[in-house]
Amino acid sequence: MRNLLVNAGSAAMIALSLVTVIPDMQAKEAYRSSVNYSLLPSYNGEDLELSHDSKSFNFKLWSPFAKEARVKIYKNGVGGEAENIFNMTLDRNTGVWSYTSDENLMDKFYTFQINNNGQWLDETPGVWAKAVGVNGLRAAIIDFNKTNPIGWETDKGPEVKNITDVIIYEMHYRDFSMHKNSGITNKGKYVALLEDGTLSLNGEKTGIDHIKELGITHVHILPSYDYNSIDESQLPSNQYNWGYDPINYNVPEGSYSTNPVDPYSRIREMKQMIKALHDAGIGVIMDVVYNHTGITEGSNFELTAPGYYYRKRQDGTFSDASGCGNETASDRQQMRNFIVNSIKYWMEEFHIDGFRFDLMAIHDIETMNEVAKVAKSVNPSAFIYGEGWTAGDSPLPIEHRALKENVDKMTNIAVFSDDIRDAVKGHYSNEKDRGFATGKEGNEETVKIGIVAATAHPQVNYKKGNNSKFAYASSPTQIINYVSCHDDLTLTDKLAISLEGASVEDRISAAKLAQTIVFTSQGTPFMFAGEEVFRDKQGVHNSYKSPDSINAIDWNQKKEYRDLFDYYKNLIALRKAHPAFRMTSAKDVAKNIVFDNVKEPNLISYSIKNNANGDEWYEIKLVFNGSDKDQNVKISKADWTIIANDGQLDKDGIGTTKGGSIKVSPRSALILARKK
Ligand code: CA
């Protein structure tokens, strides 16, 4: 009912009207509000906007509504008069305007301008700029061969057999390197990750050496495309932003480069960073925000094909499922082409290994399946995950949305589990609310939903789930588990506020327990950078434009919380060494995971049995005590190795036991293993 697309009768009329001139603004608006977008011409060539060889430069702009279109050539990225203006011609079959120049335009800048119903709109770099000048106002014509670091031809990310083998570390450029204690020279820059041998003021490894020491497999970097909120011409003012306001989707952000005025700098330096991570065996995941743009009227989408790329409500206003003023229309062919080809471009040109889709449910299922298919065809190790929800209502029907609940209609796509997140630590936005790991009763069944990665399990009652009421995943490969990310309070802040009055030691115990649940659960674990040094954000929930004093990680804390860092490092090593935590089928999970019958609140005890997923351990026993008192559990008589107990963890064992009644300390995990 909320679908804006009209019935077939009026669609036929519109198809006919495509090749006619539409007389006035009102008629055009009426036309657009009733348009059947599926009948518009589209173009899926990868040469849109600019392609060139040594002799000619070809401009192609998809803009089926425009009355006229032209290209303007400039000497610089800002200022000055156009050196040349080229008028373009329309191919009505594709909706593409084109012009070919035989002049040498290398290292020039360009914009497009369209005549929309008699009015020339503002100039735009287009939607397919691959290089830009400062602040992304004009596209740049560059020689991409000059952007490649030495050895780029053979550069490759780590091989990934199953997404459940991946350990994700979510990081922002500035958070990671800005602090005065980071020991890093190129603070806040792509090339910060090229610096090895860096140390905190008090002597602990920082930078890329820190990531290697921790042992994660993939860095997930907050938005890296060119975004709007930072003035790249005023970098000394040290602005901070998460970057969820895209302008140029196919160009790296300039403020993370050493020289945003030089179009080569941002591209070359981002590639250098990716290569440095790849050389360290670490993959790179990009956070992509195709679901909305930073500005609406005047965005590059609106300036190239007004009205096409965004969904609207029936009253003609922009719909806003992103909560940021607009939402894009992936269900329209040219927007779908745009997303799919953009993903392909980042993989081929920048060697990106995986993508995290912001507010993925604003996109339709068909588009997401196409994205995953193309990504896998470029690199079989690639993977896609996203937020399976929207921030507001959308005209896109629920059954078409790439929602968490629809994950089973998608192939090779995973969704974040808000089930485990909220059940373990308490509600994400209600800061005082506590969860399983902080002693609040009633979260046990939802934690179990997290442990089995939202797959059907005979001992898990989904009716008792806090968030989801059914087993929405048919494979653990569809689930990303986490207790903290860039959004909302850090785990450190959440524990400080919800466990008011508790000692630092108690809060650290709760943090260890929370992450132990995440990292031993089926699915793919995800952590927010800096949690391993107990990083806080001084209680700020939404730090998207907070200063570095809130967001930057103080690396001196690594020494202060060395015990916590070592615990997480060992936890990651445990997961990597044992495939039992990384099963790939729901059938295996249902067969190999056996929950013990415990009655006490805030207590979960279960086994992973049968040398699950080829594990050398026949049985792993996991007991989570989220209460603030000791709990005694009965363990079957056998020769057990103690892997974790009372805040200590080592995959090679910290002791042995014959089983029987074992005490589990408050807010801690007990992990035992036996080979037979
Ligand atoms: Ca920018």
Side-chain angles (χ1 to χ4, degrees):
M1 209 173 96
R2 281 172 303 182
N3 193 338
L4 287 174
L5 302 189
V6 293
N7 63 42
S10 53
M13 186 187 76
I14 287 150
L16 190 70
S17 71
L18 263 182
V19 290
T20 64
V21 177
I22 293 145
D24 59 44
M25 186 81 106
Q26 276 177 332
K28 195 145 189 173
E29 281 310 309
Y31 159 71
R32 283 202 198 117
S33 64
S34 64
V35 73
N36 184 331
Y37 292 98
S38 67
L39 294 177
L40 278 175
S42 63
Y43 182 76
N44 200 23
E46 289 170 47
D47 58 347
L48 269 178
E49 303 200 0
L50 175 70
S51 63
H52 65 85
D53 54 28
S54 54
K55 288 199 199 69
S56 61
F57 294 77
N58 310 297
F59 298 93
K60 282 186 174 180
L61 182 71
W62 186 82
S63 184
F65 306 123
K67 210 171 163 185
E68 294 174 84
R70 60 195 184 193
V71 187
K72 292 189 171 183
I73 306 295
Y74 292 91
K75 186 168 185 288
N76 296 310
V78 279
E81 294 295 311
E83 293 182 341
N84 244 320
I85 299 176
F86 303 130
N87 292 318
M88 309 176 86
T89 50
L90 173 66
D91 175 354
R92 289 182 189 279
N93 294 319
T94 58
V96 172
W97 295 80
S98 58
Y99 180 82
T100 297
S101 170
D102 296 330
E103 276 177 64
N104 184 4
L105 299 175
M106 190 54 76
D107 294 324
K108 302 282 186 191
F109 295 82
Y110 67 91
T111 60
F112 294 106
Q113 195 176 25
I114 68 161
N115 183 325
N116 182 47
N117 199 36
Q119 269 189 328
W120 285 99
L121 302 186
D122 288 343
E123 293 171 46
T124 166
V127 300
W128 260 109
K130 291 170 179 163
V132 292
V134 68
N135 284 326
L137 297 171
R138 291 177 187 160
I141 305 174
I142 65 164
D143 178 357
F144 268 80
N145 292 321
K146 292 186 188 166
T147 65
N148 294 342
I150 295 162
W152 188 244
E153 301 70 32
T154 53
D155 172 74
K156 237 176 114 178
E159 200 173 309
V160 175
K161 197 162 162 246
N162 299 297
I163 185 176
T164 48
D165 299 336
V166 166
I167 294 166
I168 302 167
Y169 186 74
E170 187 200 40
M171 194 184 94
H172 183 281
Y173 295 100
R174 290 180 79 95
D175 293 21
F176 192 68
S177 58
M178 279 310 287
H179 200 280
K180 62 177 170 40
N181 296 338
S182 72
I184 290 168
T185 305
N186 293 290
K187 291 183 172 64
K189 302 295 177 189
Y190 298 114
V191 292
L193 283 145
L194 269 61
E195 295 180 36
D196 49 19
T198 60
L199 297 171
S200 63
L201 271 191
N202 58 15
E204 295 285 349
K205 286 178 185 171
T206 61
I208 194 166
D209 289 351
H210 170 81
I211 303 177
K212 287 196 258 184
E213 187 184 7
L214 184 59
I216 55 95
T217 68
H218 285 67
V219 168
H220 152 161
I221 307 183
L222 262 68
S224 301
Y225 51 72
D226 181 32
Y227 61 83
N228 190 44
S229 49
I230 292 182
D231 184 348
E232 297 174 1
S233 68
Q234 300 295 329
L235 291 189
S237 66
N238 264 334
Q239 305 153 79
Y240 180 99
N241 205 282
W242 282 345
Y244 290 92
D245 55 339
I247 343 174
N248 293 298
Y249 282 97
N250 299 300
V251 193
E253 160 61 13
S255 65
Y256 303 136
S257 76
T258 57
N259 183 8
V261 174
D262 170 17
Y264 287 88
S265 167
R266 58 181 82 197
I267 298 169
R268 185 188 297 122
E269 290 166 17
M270 187 173 171
K271 284 180 174 177
Q272 286 174 329
M273 174 199 77
I274 292 164
K275 182 156 191 310
L277 286 163
H278 283 172
D279 287 348
I282 295 163
V284 181
I285 301 163
M286 233 174 82
D287 190 339
V288 288
V289 189
Y290 297 107
N291 67 71
H292 76 276
T293 52
I295 40 178
T296 310
E297 305 281 3
S299 71
N300 293 330
F301 283 140
E302 278 293 277
L303 293 177
T304 54
Y308 179 81
Y309 287 105
Y310 299 99
R311 297 188 186 121
K312 287 191 171 175
R313 302 186 186 96
Q314 272 174 329
D315 64 4
T317 57
F318 287 93
S319 55
D320 185 21
S322 71
C324 298
N326 62 66
E327 65 179 280
T328 57
S330 62
D331 45 324
R332 293 174 201 160
Q333 190 60 51
Q334 195 64 22
M335 185 63 201
R336 180 175 296 153
N337 293 349
F338 179 76
I339 296 174
V340 171
N341 287 334
S342 178
I343 291 294
K344 193 163 175 250
Y345 175 70
W346 282 105
M347 291 183 71
E348 290 176 341
E349 186 64 39
F350 287 87
H351 306 176
I352 296 292
D353 303 287
F355 296 90
R356 175 264 190 197
F357 272 72
D358 187 64
L359 298 177
M360 185 170 70
I362 292 178
H363 305 314
D364 64 300
I365 290 167
E366 198 182 332
T367 297
M368 290 312 304
N369 278 333
E370 188 66 22
V371 162
K373 199 175 104 189
V374 166
K376 283 278 181 198
S377 76
V378 176
N379 178 2
S381 290
F383 51 89
I384 309 284
Y385 57 94
E387 292 181 308
W389 47 75
T390 66
D393 200 9
S394 170
L396 184 71
I398 286 169
E399 65 269 25
H400 292 304
R401 296 182 197 171
L403 283 165
K404 180 183 93 165
E405 291 81 1
N406 288 334
V407 70
D408 216 25
K409 295 180 187 169
M410 297 183 261
T411 305
N412 289 321
I413 290 171
V415 291
F416 284 102
S417 169
D418 57 344
D419 304 272
I420 198 168
R421 181 194 69 195
D422 292 355
V424 169
K425 69 167 181 181
H427 191 267
Y428 68 96
S429 69
N430 177 359
E431 61 180 25
K432 291 210 159 146
D433 188 45
R434 288 176 294 126
F436 174 87
T438 40
K440 187 182 172 192
E441 296 177 23
N443 291 296
E444 296 80 4
E445 208 66 19
T446 312
V447 173
K448 287 185 193 174
I449 291 173
I451 290 168
V452 301
T455 59
H457 188 283
Q459 293 174 287
V460 178
N461 182 358
Y462 279 81
K463 290 203 173 64
K464 288 195 206 161
N466 295 342
N467 293 6
S468 303
K469 301 290 181 191
F470 73 104
Y472 52 91
S474 67
S475 164
T477 58
Q478 293 171 324
I479 297 297
I480 307 290
N481 291 315
Y482 69 126
V483 283
S484 68
C485 67
H486 68 276
D487 278 320
D488 312 314
L489 294 176
T490 64
L491 185 58
T492 307
D493 282 333
K494 176 72 174 169
L495 295 170
I497 295 169
S498 63
L499 285 177
E500 200 185 348
S503 66
V504 177
E505 290 72 27
D506 280 351
R507 285 183 270 133
I508 286 175
S509 297
K512 287 178 178 174
L513 173 60
Q515 295 289 15
T516 306
I517 297 171
V518 167
F519 277 79
T520 54
S521 286
Q522 303 302 313
T524 303
F526 168 110
M527 71 182 296
F528 183 43
E531 297 286 3
E532 72 277 18
V533 300
F534 215 44
R535 116 3 120 92
D536 68 83
K537 288 198 274 189
Q538 298 173 40
V540 176
H541 281 256
N542 187 1
S543 67
Y544 78 102
K545 59 174 185 181
S546 299
D548 295 320
S549 57
I550 300 291
N551 281 306
I553 300 166
D554 177 357
W555 291 104
N556 271 0
Q557 288 188 196
K558 186 171 173 185
K559 196 173 199 89
E560 193 178 341
Y561 299 106
R562 182 74 213 194
D563 165 68
L564 180 73
F565 174 81
D566 285 337
Y567 187 93
Y568 287 172
K569 185 180 85 172
N570 292 344
L571 184 59
I572 289 166
L574 169 70
R575 184 176 174 92
K576 282 162 94 171
H578 288 281
F581 302 116
R582 300 181 266 124
M583 286 184 259
T584 57
S585 86
K587 217 174 110 198
D588 280 357
V589 174
K591 187 182 77 183
N592 298 326
I593 287 190
V594 180
F595 289 97
D596 300 315
N597 194 11
V598 292
K599 292 274 182 284
E600 296 77 4
N602 294 97
L603 187 67
I604 289 173
S605 172
Y606 76 101
S607 289
I608 311 176
K609 287 191 167 170
N610 311 319
N611 302 94
N613 204 21
D615 207 291
E616 62 173 312
W617 287 339
Y618 170 75
E619 180 178 1
I620 307 168
K621 173 68 71 184
L622 299 106
V623 185
F624 303 138
N625 177 13
S627 75
D628 57 5
K629 47 185 178 297
D630 288 339
Q631 297 278 5
N632 286 297
V633 288
K634 280 205 181 65
I635 305 292
S636 59
K637 300 270 186 204
D639 290 325
W640 295 98
T641 301
I642 302 168
I643 304 301
N645 187 29
D646 200 10
Q648 299 300 307
L649 186 148
D650 188 326
K651 69 178 170 51
D652 300 321
I654 52 175
T656 58
T657 174
K658 298 279 184 196
S661 182
I662 298 185
K663 187 190 83 175
V664 187
S665 310
R667 296 184 188 120
S668 80
L670 172 71
I671 304 176
L672 309 174
R674 64 184 177 104
K675 289 200 172 169
K676 59 182 174 81

